[in-house]
Amino acid sequence: MKKILIVEDEKEIVKLLKYNLEKEGYLLVIATDGEAGFLAFKKSKPDLVILDLMLPKMDGIEVCKAVRRESQVPIIMLTAKKEETDRVLGLELGADDYITKPFSVRELMARIKSLFRRMTSLDAPASLKVGKLEIDLEKYEVHLNGKPVELSSKEFTFLKILLEAKGKVLSRDQLLEQVWGYDKGLEIDTRTVDQHVARLRAKLGTESERLMTVKNIGYKFKAG
């Protein structure tokens, strides 16, 4: 379970973030001023920090600098549009992304997931072997019993995301978002996912049974 530290002094924003992030399964640590935020960071060792720019006791810029002296944990900075200079400074000091207030919760969720995917890809091995399948994640190549399997770029990305989930079930909406991107995923019918699964199964031959349907939810890839 991923742990997210929220450093924010506006109660309504904290309430909004808490509700939506916990619903997505994240474990939360909350601080309402900069000093408490940095102490919470050192104590809880979060996987990601959501950091407001304007904070009492210690502002977001100082917290960002302090965190960066100790860790490369991803930081999303919350800013007001009028604070453009400070926002740029925050990015220069090591924030990974920023989002302006008022913000869309769906957009923030998408950016969080994007950062976690980026972290996963950096830590991921260059190739995987699953049964009789060999998947080269850098060359975008798949072999079955030593023979190449021709996949489209979308089919390969689809397979890669399922493999990276390590047996976790992914809903059709999650697959749409991750394969086609946040904005495009909103416009594409979920039947597109089923069509890609059917094509992948046809190409994976004897290993197609690993791509499993979870009724009324989505799909998972059985690696073991």
Side-chain angles (χ1 to χ4, degrees), residues 53-72:
L53 184 61
M54 301 300 291
L55 291 165
K57 296 187 179 179
M58 183 178 182
D59 68 27
I61 295 295
E62 291 303 313
V63 176
C64 184
K65 285 165 65 176
V67 168
R68 275 292 167 263
R69 284 195 289 267
E70 300 195 14
S71 171
Q72 290 303 309

Side-chain angles (χ1 to χ4, degrees), residues 6-10 13-14 31-33 50 52 55 78 101:
I6 298 171
V7 189
E8 169 63 67
D9 64 327
E10 293 185 42
I13 292 179
V14 170
T32 55
D33 67 66
I50 297 175
D52 187 27
L55 291 165
L78 301 180
K101 299 177 182 178

